[in-house]
Amino acid sequence: IPGLHHKALYDFFAWALFAKDSKQLTMMEQAALQDCFACLQQESGLVLTSTSKKYVPRRLSLEPMRATHRPWIVYAAIALAQSFTRRIL
């Protein structure tokens, strides 16, 4: 897979298996991930490189987010939509 590299998969597996950032793993968890990579490479023949095209793994619900003003905007939009529909109906 062009552009897929070791660091991106390492970060993804750290999140998927241990629900942690790769920098927060214990020594035992790091060893388990290395075993996982060895098995993955042996079984699939996948060769991972150490360089990439800046692919960033997505973690969906655990991504850091900035939600400073979004709730007020959502509440205002809902209130406007409700008042608009009340006047029409």
Side-chain angles (χ1 to χ4, degrees), residues 6 9-10 13-14 17-18 25-44 46 48:
H6 187 269
L9 277 179
Y10 193 84
F13 282 135
L17 299 176
F18 302 111
L25 295 176
T26 65
M27 295 299 282
M28 289 177 41
E29 292 168 341
Q30 290 176 5
L33 277 183
Q34 293 304 327
D35 291 344
C36 180
F37 276 108
C39 181
L40 178 69
Q41 289 177 343
Q42 181 181 5
E43 294 295 322
S44 68
L46 184 65
L48 300 172

Side-chain angles (χ1 to χ4, degrees), residues 10-85:
Y10 193 84
D11 288 343
F12 175 75
F13 282 135
W15 168 76
L17 299 176
F18 302 111
K20 294 182 179 179
D21 193 280
S22 62
K23 297 171 187 148
Q24 299 171 335
L25 295 176
T26 65
M27 295 299 282
M28 289 177 41
E29 292 168 341
Q30 290 176 5
L33 277 183
Q34 293 304 327
D35 291 344
C36 180
F37 276 108
C39 181
L40 178 69
Q41 289 177 343
Q42 181 181 5
E43 294 295 322
S44 68
L46 184 65
V47 176
L48 300 172
T49 62
S50 60
T51 59
S52 77
K53 296 178 182 178
K54 303 291 182 192
Y55 289 123
V56 177
R58 297 291 176 182
R59 292 178 265 178
L60 301 176
S61 61
L62 298 178
E63 286 289 326
M65 296 175 58
R66 290 187 42 177
T68 54
H69 296 89
R70 184 177 46 184
W72 291 108
I73 292 171
V74 171
Y75 296 141
I78 291 172
L80 284 171
Q82 287 177 343
S83 66
F84 181 71
T85 55

